[in-house]
């Protein structure tokens, strides 16, 4: 064993990646649907760090990992975050989550005068109960001790498994059963124009009289398909190729305009062809569809956009992202030109701009150095919380000139999950010796403290959502998932509430609560630690 210990302590990078590998093997083990995921890396790091006390790599490596995680979160959820701040339901959801986070934070601070828990340990318990690695890093940076990592590692299992159990019990107690909604797939129909009230109108006038969610992507006249333009005047027996997310909406449109026709337009490829391409060119990525200009002579219109596993109607405000699959109606013989315009490279789904990442991260780090005066506290720098704020704003902007701030979803997931894993491994390895020394003295007490902090977090958040702000149940589980933070909780929330509201709630809440948790521990460390 001495030889193994010597090897681990002499090769910190080897130890780091061994920790990552073993941690993920353990993290994939599921007990009744609950798994620790990447959080298991922290516990493996603690075990190896306790066995080989000098095996930890430099702390800067962990900070870099956390930077990648926060930057990826920010650029992905920036649009949803700012939309949540401007909507009534979003403000209610954020208010409920803030009250829950602050309530759990004050419970953690009360552990000091009540039970003699040290401040760094109490704030570590708070960070672990909320599965907030960014808060842990903030405590470590301000208080310079290892007690925060100890508290974090003890409370983290409650932070993952506790909310899942709470959501299950909440759904049973409220007897809420939400059926799985139909898949977000675009439906098409060919409608013959027979209603004389619409004959003689120009195409824009026709569109103005139809629901905004109904698209008309092509017109068939005299046995020829064509793309509609502003000068097109509607005639009797024109056949309209209509698209919508709901089959009933197409049926109602057919009753309004005329009648459904058999699928002649889709079978005819003489005038218009259908092509699906990957969006990978910076000419189109990061731009609203309404701003995309096709070259002169190119006959092309966007019929639908598929992102991930969902179809989306091509509204003028929809912004294309790397890896989107775009369905197009194009003129005959223009396939190559259209592919060049959109890029059509599957490699684009994994590529990212290192210039954008470098500039964005540098701006965030510079913003984190600016001291902000806080009444009663003094001057306080936001650190990595400022990086997250900058990344959120860049994610909302999407692009600035030729710089595309967003990343393909697949590349974003890889980058931020790798960063989080490296951070957890480094913190675990460096805190292992202190962890075992402390847990031997405190016994089960820290476990109870972590449970109390978590109960305050989920109960206050749920009560505010359901009974004060009257949010729907599926939105509530998304808010609770965002307030607690771990993606495993969101995955379970999607099982008991299989709508899109849990994902939207998580996207609105997780970034803002990450910032609230960071600010809380930094301010508490300054005020209480005096």
């Amino acid at each position: 064993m001495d030889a193994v210990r010597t090897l681990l302590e002499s090769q910190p990078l080897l130890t780091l990646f061994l920790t990552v590998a073993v941690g993920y093997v353990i993290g994939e083990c599921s007990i009744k649907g609950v798994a620790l995921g990447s959080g298991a890396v922290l516990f493996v790091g603690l075990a190896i760090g306790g066995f080989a006390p000098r095996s930890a790599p430099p702390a800067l490596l962990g900070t870099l990992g956390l930077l990648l995680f926060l930057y990826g979160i920010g650029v992905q959820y920036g649009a949803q975050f700012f939309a949540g701040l401007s909507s009534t339901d979003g403000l209610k959801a954020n208010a409920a989550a803030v009250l829950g986070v602050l309530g759990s934070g004050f419970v953690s601070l009360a552990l000091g005068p009540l039970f003699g828990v040290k401040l760094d340990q109490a704030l570590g318990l708070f960070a672990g109960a909320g599965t907030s690695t960014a808060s842990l890093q903030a405590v470590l940076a301000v208080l310079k001790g290892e007690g925060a990592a100890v508290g974090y590692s003890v409370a983290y299992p409650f932070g993952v498994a506790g909310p899942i159990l709470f959501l299950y019990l909440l759904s049973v107690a409220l007897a809420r059963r939400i059926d799985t909604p139909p898949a977000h797939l675009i439906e098409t129909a060919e409608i013959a124009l027979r209603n004389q009230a619409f004959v003689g109108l120009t195409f824009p006038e026709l569109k103005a009289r139809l629901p905004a969610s109904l698209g008309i992507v092509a017109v068939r006249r005299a046995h020829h398909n064509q793309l509609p333009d502003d000068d097109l005047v509607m005639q009797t027996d024109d056949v309209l190729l209509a698209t919508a997310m709901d089959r009933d909406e197409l049926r109602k449109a057919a009753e309004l305009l005329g009648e459904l026709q058999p699928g002649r337009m889709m079978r005819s490829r003489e005038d218009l062809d259908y092509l699906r391409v990957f969006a990978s060119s910076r000419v189109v990525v990061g731009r609203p569809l309404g701003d995309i200009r096709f070259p002169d002579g190119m006959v092309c219109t966007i019929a639908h956009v598929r992102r991930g596993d969902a179809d989306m109607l091509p509204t003028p405000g929809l912004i294309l992202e790397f890896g989107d699959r775009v369905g197009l109606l194009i003129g005959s013989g223009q396939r190559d030109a259209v592919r060049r315009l959109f890029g059509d490279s599957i490699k684009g789904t994994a590529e990212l701009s290192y210039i954008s990442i470098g500039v964005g991260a540098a701006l965030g780090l510079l913003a984190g150095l600016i001291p902000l005066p806080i009444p009663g506290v003094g001057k306080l720098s936001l650190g990595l919380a400022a990086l997250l704020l900058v990344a959120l704003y860049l994610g909302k902007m999407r692009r600035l000139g030729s710089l595309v701030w967003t990343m393909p979803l697949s590349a974003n997931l890889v980058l931020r999950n790798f960063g989080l894993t490296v951070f957890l491994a480094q913190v675990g390895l460096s805190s292992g010796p202190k962890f075992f020394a402390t847990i031997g003295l405190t016994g089960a007490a820290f476990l109870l403290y972590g449970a109390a902090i978590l109960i305050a977090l989920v109960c206050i958040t749920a009560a505010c959502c359901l009974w004060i702000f009257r949010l729907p149940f599926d939105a509530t589980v998304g808010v609770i998932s965002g307030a607690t933070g771990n993606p495993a909780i969101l995955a379970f929330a999607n099982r008991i509430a299989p709508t899109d509201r849990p994902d939207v709630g998580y996207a609105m809440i997780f970034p803002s609560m990450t910032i609230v948790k960071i600010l809380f521990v930094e301010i508490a460390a300054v005020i209480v630690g005096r």
Side-chain angles (χ1 to χ4, degrees):
M1 298 300 290
D2 289 340
V4 175
R5 183 182 292 107
T6 300
L7 174 64
L8 294 176
E9 291 183 341
S10 63
Q11 299 294 329
L13 284 181
L14 182 151
T15 307
L16 177 76
F17 283 99
L18 178 64
T19 301
V20 170
V22 176
Y24 266 94
V25 169
I26 296 175
E28 291 178 357
C29 297
S30 176
I31 301 175
K32 294 190 179 297
V34 179
L36 289 175
S38 61
V41 174
L42 176 67
F43 301 117
V44 173
L46 290 169
I48 295 178
F51 173 73
R54 293 186 294 274
S55 61
L60 181 63
L61 190 61
T63 303
L64 173 62
L66 186 62
L67 181 151
L68 296 176
F69 172 73
L70 293 177
Y71 187 82
I73 286 288
V75 296
Q76 179 179 346
Y77 291 130
Q80 295 94 324
F81 172 74
F82 285 101
L85 293 180
S86 60
S87 67
T88 301
D89 285 346
L91 291 173
K92 291 179 179 178
N94 274 280
V98 167
L99 291 173
V101 169
L102 293 180
S104 65
F106 289 124
V107 170
S108 68
L109 293 179
L111 297 176
L114 291 177
F115 303 105
V117 179
K118 295 180 180 179
L119 178 61
D120 59 346
Q121 295 173 338
L123 294 178
L125 286 166
F126 167 75
T131 65
S132 176
T133 52
S135 301
L136 171 61
Q137 195 274 341
V139 182
L140 294 173
V142 175
L143 296 180
K144 311 294 184 184
E146 297 175 346
V150 174
Y152 181 92
S153 61
V154 172
Y156 188 92
F158 289 100
V160 177
I164 292 175
L165 177 61
F166 176 82
L167 291 177
Y168 172 76
L169 295 176
L170 186 66
S171 65
V172 172
L174 299 178
R176 301 294 174 88
R177 183 180 183 275
I178 300 177
D179 294 327
T180 302
H184 292 287
L185 301 175
I186 287 184
E187 304 282 353
T188 61
E190 298 178 19
I191 303 173
L193 183 62
R194 302 286 166 75
N195 188 339
Q196 295 302 307
F198 294 93
V199 174
L201 298 178
T202 63
F203 181 72
E205 292 171 338
L206 172 72
K207 282 286 295 176
R209 295 194 183 186
L210 298 176
S213 56
L214 184 75
I216 305 295
V217 296
V219 177
R220 184 174 179 84
R221 176 180 295 174
H223 307 293
H224 291 282
N225 296 336
Q226 64 184 87
L227 299 181
D229 55 37
D230 292 347
D231 297 326
L232 181 67
V233 178
M234 308 312 300
Q235 298 180 6
T236 302
D237 294 330
D238 282 348
V239 179
L240 312 177
L241 181 59
T243 61
M245 301 299 295
D246 188 349
R247 174 60 64 178
D248 288 339
E249 189 168 357
L250 291 175
R251 178 182 54 78
K252 293 176 182 178
E255 294 174 353
L256 175 65
L257 296 170
E259 62 182 12
L260 292 172
Q261 288 287 99
R264 290 178 296 179
M265 294 183 70
M266 296 300 291
R267 292 198 302 266
S268 174
R269 300 293 180 96
E270 300 153 0
D271 305 296
L272 293 178
D273 202 355
Y274 176 79
L275 177 66
R276 178 177 284 189
V277 297
F278 283 99
S280 60
S281 168
R282 285 180 170 79
V283 175
V284 297
V285 170
R287 296 188 183 279
L289 297 185
D291 291 348
I292 296 177
R293 297 291 177 261
F294 298 111
D296 292 339
M298 179 178 289
V299 178
C300 182
T301 189
I302 299 175
H304 71 93
V305 175
R306 187 167 180 82
R307 180 173 298 162
D309 296 327
D311 285 341
M312 293 178 288
L313 289 173
T315 59
L318 179 64
I319 298 176
L320 282 183
E321 296 184 0
F322 280 111
D324 284 349
R325 286 161 289 173
V326 185
L328 303 158
L329 292 177
I330 63 174
S332 178
Q334 296 187 334
R335 284 176 169 262
D336 291 341
V338 172
R339 284 195 172 110
R340 285 194 297 271
L341 175 65
F342 283 87
D344 196 27
S345 172
I346 195 171
K347 293 181 180 179
T349 63
E351 291 180 350
L352 47 84
S353 170
Y354 291 100
I355 298 176
S356 299
I357 294 176
V359 172
L363 290 174
L365 292 171
L366 285 173
L369 297 176
I370 300 174
L372 302 177
I374 299 179
V377 176
K379 292 186 176 180
L380 185 68
S381 298
L382 294 182
L384 290 183
L387 172 86
L388 178 58
L389 284 172
V390 170
L392 287 167
Y393 183 73
L394 296 180
K396 178 180 179 294
M397 287 179 59
R398 300 299 181 99
R399 71 180 296 158
L400 178 64
S402 61
L403 283 177
V404 179
W405 302 112
T406 58
M407 293 180 275
L409 179 59
S410 56
N412 188 308
L413 287 172
V414 170
L415 190 69
R416 73 174 193 243
N417 287 339
F418 177 73
L420 177 62
T421 300
V422 169
F423 173 75
L424 291 174
Q426 195 279 330
V427 168
L429 289 169
S430 61
S431 304
K434 182 69 173 179
F435 171 79
F436 288 103
T438 303
I439 205 66
L441 296 175
T442 61
F446 268 35
L447 300 177
L448 296 176
Y449 301 154
I453 294 170
L454 175 68
I455 290 172
L457 173 59
V458 295
C459 287
I460 294 174
T461 304
C464 291
C465 287
L466 292 172
W467 295 293
I468 297 179
F469 298 123
R470 303 288 182 179
L471 295 178
F473 177 76
D474 51 352
T476 296
V477 299
V479 174
I480 295 173
S481 301
T484 51
N486 194 281
I489 304 165
L490 176 63
F492 183 80
N494 280 317
R495 282 187 232 160
I496 63 174
T499 69
D500 60 351
R501 282 179 171 170
D503 289 325
V504 173
Y506 184 88
M508 287 193 304
I509 298 302
F510 178 77
S512 56
M513 290 309 103
T514 298
I515 294 169
V516 170
K517 291 172 185 176
I518 292 173
L519 291 177
F520 179 85
V521 298
E522 288 185 337
I523 293 173
V526 173
I527 295 178
V528 182
R530 287 175 174 172

